[in-house]
Amino acid sequence: MVTILFSLIILVYHITSSHSERCNPQEKFVLLQMKKEFNNPTFLSSWKPNTDCCHPKWHWHGIKCDHKSHHVKSINLSYNTKLASKIPPSIGNLPYLETLFLFHLPNLIGPIPQTISKLTNLTYLTISSTNVSGPLPNFLGQFKSLVNLDLSFNNFYGPLPPSLSHLPNLTGIFLGYNNLIGPIPDSYRSFKNHSNFYFSHNNLSGRVPISLGKVDFSSIDLSHNRFKGDPSMLFGSNKVSAAIDLSWNIFSFDIGKVELPKITSMFDASHNQIYGNLPLGIENVMILNVSYNRLCGEIPKGDKHDLYAYFHNKCLCGSPLPSCK
């Protein structure tokens, strides 16, 4: 009798627990398929078919679910050197996913799979510090809800996709430390004001589109590329740019005609072919480097920057450089 009663209790427990599981069964199946496509890495050992992917008790590594709908809304996998695979194509079958964060996974390889284009609710997409490669896909322009795109520190190559300009909510774009080539598309004039725009350490080239002057960037980094010409459209006394980095390019323009944004706290234009006198307000910039250019004239009196902010210019003078004669 006791044995029969015990068996009934176990049966009821299993029936109750199966009905009370929070994890959406289709999404759970997708996560387990992803684990398989990741080659069943040990750091995903918590992803077990007999546990609830949304229940805090089981804590599926890197998974967060919406507390009301229980749909999987976030995947955060980072800091693992043993995960060796491509990005699982099945990830595109998580329609409610809002955040995908793949960071410092040096053995993650291959291109971004086409199936990711189905994640139309993505708000934050980070694939950074991996060995993911290939051209930046045009389907990135389909993520209409995307606010932040970070594809830095990878092996992406080829041109910048014009389709990024189709993202109405994008305010952070980080594509630095790749092998990207070619010019900045003119269509990027449609980026939102107060955006953060980081394209450093690539092989980008050509002139900065004049139309980019219509965007009031919070910060912009074009350093360590092969841009040339005059980027002065990025400046203006009424703009809000707190950080501007143009260093290590082939820019050539009269910097004396530029009006710095009043709140600029960092300005680096070193290692270019910039000429002219220093612009008004340069002494108020907290972090400054205009070394290795062709600048002339007197450094404003009372300037507190060190020698390294100004050295290797054609004819700059005044403290901290030798005095003007």
Side-chain angles (χ1 to χ4, degrees), residues 37-154:
E37 292 170 0
F38 270 135
N39 297 320
N40 294 307
T42 55
F43 90 121
L44 296 183
S45 59
S46 59
W47 294 20
K48 298 177 180 178
N50 61 339
T51 61
D52 187 340
C53 72
C54 289
H55 198 293
K57 175 183 178 181
W58 303 111
H59 186 64
W60 280 38
H61 178 76
I63 300 300
K64 286 186 178 180
C65 300
D66 185 89
H67 69 284
K68 291 183 179 180
S69 69
H70 305 307
H71 287 299
V72 175
K73 70 173 185 178
S74 174
I75 296 178
N76 183 335
L77 304 177
S78 55
Y79 293 104
N80 190 283
T81 59
K82 295 183 179 180
L83 186 149
S85 72
K86 297 180 180 181
I87 299 174
S90 59
I91 199 171
N93 296 320
L94 295 171
Y96 299 94
L97 196 66
E98 297 175 6
T99 298
L100 176 58
F101 190 86
L102 304 176
F103 179 72
H104 199 77
L105 303 171
N107 292 310
L108 190 66
I109 60 172
I112 300 177
Q114 173 74 33
T115 52
I116 280 187
S117 64
K118 296 190 290 183
L119 302 177
T120 54
N121 287 306
L122 273 184
T123 305
Y124 298 93
L125 173 58
T126 294
I127 302 172
S128 179
S129 299
T130 74
N131 270 300
V132 174
S133 59
L136 295 179
N138 273 316
F139 63 67
L140 292 173
Q142 298 178 27
F143 301 133
K144 303 301 182 183
S145 299
L146 202 65
V147 171
N148 195 85
L149 174 65
D150 185 352
L151 300 178
S152 60
F153 293 92
N154 292 298

Side-chain angles (χ1 to χ4, degrees), residues 18-34:
S18 64
H19 282 292
S20 63
E21 182 167 340
R22 304 178 185 185
C23 190
N24 179 283
Q26 291 179 327
E27 294 175 17
K28 181 177 182 178
F29 176 81
V30 171
L31 291 174
L32 294 172
Q33 180 63 28
M34 285 177 56

Side-chain angles (χ1 to χ4, degrees), residues 234-249:
L234 302 174
F235 300 89
S237 59
N238 294 323
K239 291 198 172 186
V240 299
S241 299
I244 302 173
D245 194 341
L246 307 176
S247 63
W248 293 91
N249 280 287

